[in-house]
Amino acid sequence: MFCSEKKSLEVERIVKANDREYNEKFQYADNRIHTSKYSILTFLPINLFEQFQKVANAYFLFLLLLQLIPEISSLTWFTTIVPLVLVITMTAVKDATDDYFRHKSDNQVNNRLSEVLLDSKLQNEKWMNVKVGDIIKLENNQFVAADLLLLSSSEPHGLCYIETAELDGETNLKVRHALSVTSELGADFSRLAKFDGIVVCEAPNNKLDKFTGVLSWKDSKHSLNNENIILRGCILRNTSWCFGMVIFAGPDTKLMQNSGKTKFKRTSIDRLMNTLVLWIFGFLVCLGIILAIGNSIWENQVGDQFRTFLFWNEGKKNSLFSGFLTFWSYIIILNTVVPISLYVSMEVIRLGHSYFINWDRKMYYSGKSTPAEARTTTLNEELGQIEYVFSDKTGTLTQNIMTFKKCSINGKIYGEVRDDMGQKTDITKKNEPVDFSVNPQADRTFQFFDHRLMESVKLGDSKVYEFLRLLALCHTVMSEENSAGQLIYQVQSPDEGALVTAARNFGFIFKSRTPETITVEELGTLVTYQLLAFLDFNNIRKRMSVIVRNPEGQIKLYSKGADTILFEKLHPSNEDLLTLTTDHLSEFAGEGLRTLAIAYRDLDDKYFKEWHQMLEDANALMDERDERIAGLYEEIERDLMLLGATAVEDKLQEGVIETITSLSLANIKIWVLTGDKQETAINIGYACNMLTDDMNDVFIIAGNTAVEVREELRKAKENLFGQNRSSSNGHVVFEKQQLELDSVVEETITGDYALVINGHSLAHALESDVKNDLLELACMCKTVVCCRVTPLQKAQVVELVKNCRNAVTLAIGDGANDVSMIKSAHIGVGISGQEGLQAVLASDYSFAQFRYLQRLLLVHGRWSYFRMCKFLCYFFYKNFAFTLVHFWFGFFCGFSAQTVYDQWFITLFNIVYTSLPVLAMGIFDQPLTGRGSTSNISQWDFLKRICQCSSWDPIQQVQGHPTSRKGNLVCPLSSCLCCFFFGCFCSTPGPPVSSVDVSDQSSMDYPQLYEPGQLNLLFNKRKFFICMAHGIYTSLALFFIPYGAFHNVAGEDGQHIADYQSFAVTMATSLVIVVSVQIALDTSYWTVINHVFIWGSVATYFSILFTMHSNGIFGMFPNQFPFVGNARHSLTQKCIWLVILLTTVASVVPVVVLRFLKMDLCPTLSDRIRQRQKAQKKARPLRSRRPQTRRSSSRRSGYAFAHQEGYGELITSGKNMRAKNPPLTSGLEKTLYNSTSWIENFCKKTTDTVSSFSQDKTVKL
Amino acid sequence: MKRTSEDGQSKLPDNTALKQQQLPAYRLQLSATGVLSCFFATGVFCLGMGIILILSAKSIKEIEIKYTKICGNCAKLREDATNFDKECTCSIPFYLSETMQVKGEREEIQAYTFLFTVSSCIQDVGNCAPFSKSHDGTPIAPCGAIANSIFNDTIILSYKLNSSIPIKVPMLRSGITWWTDKYVKFQNPSSINLSSAFAGTTKPPCWAKPVYELDGEDPGNNGFLNDDFIVWMRTAAFPTFKKLYRRLNRIQYFIEGLPAGNYSFNITYNFPVTRFKGEKSVVLSTLTWSGGSSLFLGLVYTVTGAVTWLASFSMMAVHLTLKDRKVLFIQQ
């Protein structure tokens, strides 16, 4: 208690290095993390408490308590307690296992070792024992244990490199540096141990990119910022060791602060069920009251006289009290409307569906041998109701591999594959890639399909040479040679890696660099260029240049950058080439490639010297330095000669485009939430076809202040809604009208819009007063891209949509930065097979490739939803039919709470007699779906469709009207009609339908089939009432037909058959037969299992019935089985069978007929047909839909350069270049130049990954 | 590398029809006409069955005599519980106009169903409240409210062959119970002498005789095995019910059933019903193949059949209309 109070009060944090006692005063959290929910002691109470919070469980507990009271117990107590205990135990075991694994993963993390400097010695200490203020040592490729203040590192100037993929999803390496005062400490333990600086900094928070603090040491103060901090979750790269002081530990770290809370997830059906259980309970209470009043009246009017007749004076009761008791008795009797077996069956069905997901070979990724995994088994049917998908970009949509795809050199495009006719074709297996085997240094994984470029190189085209030379010179890549003599490039931006590797394969091999030189092997000869100046990249310049002197003494400026910027700097003589290249660039950009323009300039010696002098002067300046330098850079980067352009592909994962296309056809909105740059994000948007040039507008919200953001949002909205909205705002409009208007506006918006918003703006836009605007705007847009968002913002966006739109959301991601989003969405999907596990651990479903999402949602999700809804409809129907008979009987038995059936029948009905067929349906059923051609639909399907009006969806969507959703809502019957129509087409019986591969394929082919789930059409309150009405009707038929028939009737031999027991047997038998016929009609996919279960259930019923009514069992337990001989006697009577038959016909036929006639009621038949025609036209080409590259307009990627500022300086200063013989402290030497240097570690990692370009790929964890 | 590929193999889900959700599914081949004919067939069946049932119900010859009011004096006497040992008989003459093939003869009373089930064991008094023990604590045999309220009128049917001499119509008291009830469910305590077997128990408060003296003529018809007792203990489902009393013994004059003529019922009136506004009647009835069927079943069958036919016609109408539309659709 004290601790948490303390935490909330923490305003600033004071940490003293190497002084645990001092730091203990503040009671900072230690480095242990807890993600688990229970401990051994708290498990039982907390878990039980949680479980009984479920309405259903509480309901059953209440019933159980009622049954324990002998005065009102009309059913034996074990009918409730056994299943209840079973359910509770099952859930508890599941929760316990889940928590056990959480404990295990916590333990695993908590027990990781890190080296802590204690008593001037490095000691291995478990992570959980690391305290704030400790100094710990990290080695290359280690996870950072806590949020650290970097003190010193192996690299010069206290630099270290970290990968922050876990935190923000960005994969390029980032540089952190120690303060110069502390970096002097080096690896000297004694000095480090004496370090007693005090850090005063902000309290723990979740801002990943901000840190402010002050270090006081040796009487001086040094300000600290984010550059000095390495955060937990990062991985140390390219740095053999570093020392850091723990500032935030455990739950206070920014990583943990960013991970959302674990929530108990429930499906919307669960929530609906909760409501329904309450309603049903209300319904029960009503029935109970009616019957109790009846009982009181009866007791008053008849009971008294009746009692005197029996000399029953001692048992005299107050009629009101008797009514009261009767009420409770009836509550118990009628409780089976919601039987506990419903919940058990739901769990079983979901479990079955989860197994189907695990078993699906089509979701198995052989590349990483990862099958799909349903990690939770309670959410399956919600997969069929997804409206919003929130996707991470890096690692989810993209493979995070950059490939050099195309280039334009001197007005000539390379990289396109043309067939013999000179037409562009797609790259197929037939095309031979360019053979780079002549070049021993070539990267094997690099593939290029256009042989002309190689030919040009061989022919000695000088422009091509210059182009490749530029690629080999103008970059920030570092090279190393591994033990095998292979060149390894260490890149901080994968784009650059792609370019340098391309140059390498075409014979311009970047070999090594020093601060002053760059060595390139040009077609076999080593050439060393003098690096004269490095004009670094920044966000404003959007370009970088190098100035080099080649061995001939010529000075050249090589520049690459965003085309828009670079083209302004060109020499006028480039005009022709410029237009040509511009066309090419548009073409590249149209294909979603990341483009760069490339240019050079020859400089004369004198001019350069003057310029260089001025640069040095400027550097020496104290004020206005940056402006001056920028001016100088501008000055020299002009009159450039255009060389061409490059196009790099940010390789999408396989099938991403198809998946996104089909998901959007399924009316699922996909939002991309990425920590990456705006440009990259937009680029990927185009690459995935999420953004297209056909879009009417793409709104970009990139304001930095709340006011700006608001203004931008307002403008976008105005743009979107046009005059429609603004005119209405002029008048006083009631809120309600306004709302109506909004919905009208929503309807009337045509055309596609997209919204791009960045993290800063999002922070403002998520504030309460603006967020509705944002939401409204975003939901109008077809595509939403949020870039530069923090993990917490991702979760906030998900929450926003989840709460305000009331929509079912799914979040998919692969990294730790997606965890919070995965946790807060209704369904979280983790991309598995990557190295990091956090996302998968937090997820509900996991698989290896984004494209499996399509199958997960459209097949598994849709089926699960379909099955679950059918199951629920049937179950409610069945139990209403079963239970309400008691209500009718109440009027004929003096409201005495006598049960109609045998107690055994009541106990077994839901568990044994009727559970398996409906389970089989719930697990194996498959929606019948059109196969595209009508002639294949057999007449049986037609009958089935009639019988399953409740689940008409498939055809409705195919033959219906995917565009107008309202239409479906208004007249769901239309679909029925369509179905019927559909069925009538094929009066000729088709061949036996072998359903293999039909249903799931059509689910994929017609994504529109998904819509009923989103609209909640298959099971909702209305459907529930229909089921209820159906059940009530059946119960009426079940009761009153036997009642009428039994009234004053004798058996064949004159003996009485109208006794209570015969009546019970007749009713029970009719009930079992009626519900079996009904399930037979409801089952659309009759597998062997269905056959066995349906026939088997009926058979089981009769065998159990005869067994329980046999002499033998009566002899053993005379009190438990009083129905001896009943089945034998009753079921040999013709009359009873006639009653059963009539009951069955009367309960089933009207339902079939009603469903049939419903179809007749649809008004606009011709409309439907026309729409169907349209829909078919629309739906047909879908099958063969391929990613299209027809775009030709002028959209251009502004600057697709995942690049960071500051590397140029590092290179020219030589800071990041390891000296050949670094002055090392003896203790560390071994570890450093051990065989396990970072390069090798790095290689190890990369060889594991399958795809090309491994050397240049930054490993994402 | 090889190891991982092996691992991969093991992780790859099996390619079985069950796991891939591709179990062969059977679908019956039914044409639209088949469906409709199925409906028509159902309709025909129901109609036919309904007509047969109605006809057979009509063929039943039945005489019902409500004797509560006729025997008003006795009824009044029985209202006072203290008079239960006073005998009261009344005679009801009636005329049977035509020959009836009477197989059985039943009496009907109006009563209520009871909550309590029968306990066949003497000592088990658990479910018998409030009639489990008498005031002095001795257990009641048979216990329970149902047994207590046993129907104890005796009905004798006599036929006036001539104008003066009434002949007692021979009646069988056997075969009125279910076999299982008589031989499995109800058992007398094993003892040579019934009265000693029931020693230590007392008779239910409404009973005139103890259970082991129910039938003075046939010693085997006593105790729990008394047929009337067994019939009574098979609780009716509804408040109004008929129970089999005796069957006609087809001997002498009655080989062909009951001949036409003057009859009379001589009823020893014991069972009090007026206090709870009940009514008793005695019914003479014949049986048909389906038992003593009532009109209800036949009527409902007929109605169901008619409705099914109607439905079939409308379905056919829809079918045909849509066929026309299909032509229209193609023309477009």
mmCIF file of all heavy atoms in Angstrom, chain A residues 1202-1217:
data_model
loop_
_atom_site.group_PDB
_atom_site.id
_atom_site.type_symbol
_atom_site.label_atom_id
_atom_site.label_comp_id
_atom_site.label_asym_id
_atom_site.label_seq_id
_atom_site.Cartn_x
_atom_site.Cartn_y
_atom_site.Cartn_z
ATOM 1 N N ALA A 1202 14.817 5.634 -45.039
ATOM 2 C CA ALA A 1202 14.752 5.389 -43.603
ATOM 3 C C ALA A 1202 16.110 5.708 -42.998
ATOM 4 O O ALA A 1202 16.917 4.842 -42.732
ATOM 5 C CB ALA A 1202 14.381 3.942 -43.334
ATOM 6 N N HIS A 1203 16.328 6.935 -42.863
ATOM 7 C CA HIS A 1203 17.683 7.382 -42.586
ATOM 8 C C HIS A 1203 17.671 8.312 -41.395
ATOM 9 O O HIS A 1203 16.692 8.977 -41.124
ATOM 10 C CB HIS A 1203 18.182 8.155 -43.820
ATOM 11 C CG HIS A 1203 19.655 8.096 -43.964
ATOM 12 N ND1 HIS A 1203 20.268 7.935 -45.185
ATOM 13 C CD2 HIS A 1203 20.630 8.186 -43.058
ATOM 14 C CE1 HIS A 1203 21.568 7.927 -44.990
ATOM 15 N NE2 HIS A 1203 21.815 8.067 -43.714
ATOM 16 N N GLN A 1204 18.768 8.333 -40.733
ATOM 17 C CA GLN A 1204 18.830 9.228 -39.592
ATOM 18 C C GLN A 1204 19.963 10.202 -39.757
ATOM 19 O O GLN A 1204 20.989 9.889 -40.368
ATOM 20 C CB GLN A 1204 19.074 8.408 -38.334
ATOM 21 C CG GLN A 1204 17.819 8.208 -37.538
ATOM 22 C CD GLN A 1204 18.164 7.782 -36.161
ATOM 23 O OE1 GLN A 1204 19.106 7.034 -35.957
ATOM 24 N NE2 GLN A 1204 17.401 8.253 -35.201
ATOM 25 N N GLU A 1205 19.736 11.316 -39.174
ATOM 26 C CA GLU A 1205 20.758 12.341 -39.229
ATOM 27 C C GLU A 1205 21.903 11.969 -38.292
ATOM 28 O O GLU A 1205 21.728 11.233 -37.337
ATOM 29 C CB GLU A 1205 20.127 13.655 -38.759
ATOM 30 C CG GLU A 1205 20.918 14.857 -39.132
ATOM 31 C CD GLU A 1205 20.221 16.122 -38.659
ATOM 32 O OE1 GLU A 1205 19.063 16.027 -38.240
ATOM 33 O OE2 GLU A 1205 20.859 17.171 -38.703
ATOM 34 N N GLY A 1206 23.045 12.472 -38.603
ATOM 35 C CA GLY A 1206 24.117 12.360 -37.629
ATOM 36 C C GLY A 1206 25.177 11.352 -37.989
ATOM 37 O O GLY A 1206 26.247 11.332 -37.407
ATOM 38 N N TYR A 1207 24.883 10.515 -38.966
ATOM 39 C CA TYR A 1207 25.865 9.498 -39.294
ATOM 40 C C TYR A 1207 27.059 10.051 -40.046
ATOM 41 O O TYR A 1207 28.169 9.556 -39.931
ATOM 42 C CB TYR A 1207 25.213 8.358 -40.060
ATOM 43 C CG TYR A 1207 24.603 7.374 -39.121
ATOM 44 C CD1 TYR A 1207 23.342 7.554 -38.614
ATOM 45 C CD2 TYR A 1207 25.355 6.268 -38.703
ATOM 46 C CE1 TYR A 1207 22.801 6.669 -37.722
ATOM 47 C CE2 TYR A 1207 24.823 5.392 -37.797
ATOM 48 C CZ TYR A 1207 23.549 5.581 -37.314
ATOM 49 O OH TYR A 1207 23.035 4.712 -36.421
ATOM 50 N N GLY A 1208 26.790 11.096 -40.828
ATOM 51 C CA GLY A 1208 27.887 11.705 -41.574
ATOM 52 C C GLY A 1208 28.959 12.200 -40.632
ATOM 53 O O GLY A 1208 30.156 11.941 -40.821
ATOM 54 N N GLU A 1209 28.502 12.835 -39.586
ATOM 55 C CA GLU A 1209 29.450 13.370 -38.622
ATOM 56 C C GLU A 1209 30.253 12.249 -37.977
ATOM 57 O O GLU A 1209 31.463 12.347 -37.789
ATOM 58 C CB GLU A 1209 28.671 14.139 -37.546
ATOM 59 C CG GLU A 1209 29.525 15.120 -36.785
ATOM 60 C CD GLU A 1209 28.782 15.676 -35.603
ATOM 61 O OE1 GLU A 1209 27.534 15.729 -35.661
ATOM 62 O OE2 GLU A 1209 29.447 16.024 -34.615
ATOM 63 N N LEU A 1210 29.517 11.167 -37.661
ATOM 64 C CA LEU A 1210 30.205 10.035 -37.058
ATOM 65 C C LEU A 1210 31.304 9.523 -37.967
ATOM 66 O O LEU A 1210 32.386 9.177 -37.518
ATOM 67 C CB LEU A 1210 29.205 8.905 -36.798
ATOM 68 C CG LEU A 1210 28.258 9.104 -35.632
ATOM 69 C CD1 LEU A 1210 27.261 7.972 -35.595
ATOM 70 C CD2 LEU A 1210 29.046 9.165 -34.335
ATOM 71 N N ILE A 1211 30.975 9.489 -39.258
ATOM 72 C CA ILE A 1211 31.950 8.929 -40.190
ATOM 73 C C ILE A 1211 33.156 9.846 -40.334
ATOM 74 O O ILE A 1211 34.304 9.420 -40.195
ATOM 75 C CB ILE A 1211 31.287 8.691 -41.560
ATOM 76 C CG1 ILE A 1211 30.378 7.464 -41.459
ATOM 77 C CG2 ILE A 1211 32.324 8.512 -42.657
ATOM 78 C CD1 ILE A 1211 29.492 7.265 -42.636
ATOM 79 N N THR A 1212 32.887 11.118 -40.557
ATOM 80 C CA THR A 1212 34.010 12.020 -40.780
ATOM 81 C C THR A 1212 34.843 12.194 -39.519
ATOM 82 O O THR A 1212 36.045 12.381 -39.588
ATOM 83 C CB THR A 1212 33.531 13.393 -41.265
ATOM 84 O OG1 THR A 1212 32.459 13.802 -40.420
ATOM 85 C CG2 THR A 1212 33.055 13.339 -42.697
ATOM 86 N N SER A 1213 34.175 12.112 -38.391
ATOM 87 C CA SER A 1213 34.956 12.238 -37.164
ATOM 88 C C SER A 1213 35.712 10.948 -36.873
ATOM 89 O O SER A 1213 36.629 10.925 -36.080
ATOM 90 C CB SER A 1213 34.046 12.555 -35.984
ATOM 91 O OG SER A 1213 33.215 11.448 -35.750
ATOM 92 N N GLY A 1214 35.284 9.877 -37.532
ATOM 93 C CA GLY A 1214 35.933 8.610 -37.279
ATOM 94 C C GLY A 1214 35.541 7.997 -35.962
ATOM 95 O O GLY A 1214 36.073 6.988 -35.539
ATOM 96 N N LYS A 1215 34.571 8.618 -35.321
ATOM 97 C CA LYS A 1215 34.178 8.140 -34.001
ATOM 98 C C LYS A 1215 33.762 6.683 -34.016
ATOM 99 O O LYS A 1215 34.030 5.939 -33.091
ATOM 100 C CB LYS A 1215 32.995 8.980 -33.507
ATOM 101 C CG LYS A 1215 33.372 10.190 -32.710
ATOM 102 C CD LYS A 1215 32.106 10.827 -32.188
ATOM 103 C CE LYS A 1215 32.391 12.064 -31.380
ATOM 104 N NZ LYS A 1215 31.155 12.709 -30.965
ATOM 105 N N ASN A 1216 33.026 6.343 -35.046
ATOM 106 C CA ASN A 1216 32.486 4.992 -35.033
ATOM 107 C C ASN A 1216 33.401 3.967 -35.690
ATOM 108 O O ASN A 1216 33.030 2.859 -35.925
ATOM 109 C CB ASN A 1216 31.109 4.964 -35.698
ATOM 110 C CG ASN A 1216 31.183 5.391 -37.134
ATOM 111 O OD1 ASN A 1216 32.192 5.959 -37.555
ATOM 112 N ND2 ASN A 1216 30.144 5.133 -37.880
ATOM 113 N N MET A 1217 34.601 4.444 -36.048
ATOM 114 C CA MET A 1217 35.512 3.476 -36.639
ATOM 115 C C MET A 1217 36.462 2.984 -35.599
ATOM 116 O O MET A 1217 37.090 3.761 -34.886
ATOM 117 C CB MET A 1217 36.263 4.121 -37.793
ATOM 118 C CG MET A 1217 35.358 4.177 -38.996
ATOM 119 S SD MET A 1217 36.037 5.138 -40.247
ATOM 120 C CE MET A 1217 34.632 6.027 -40.753
#
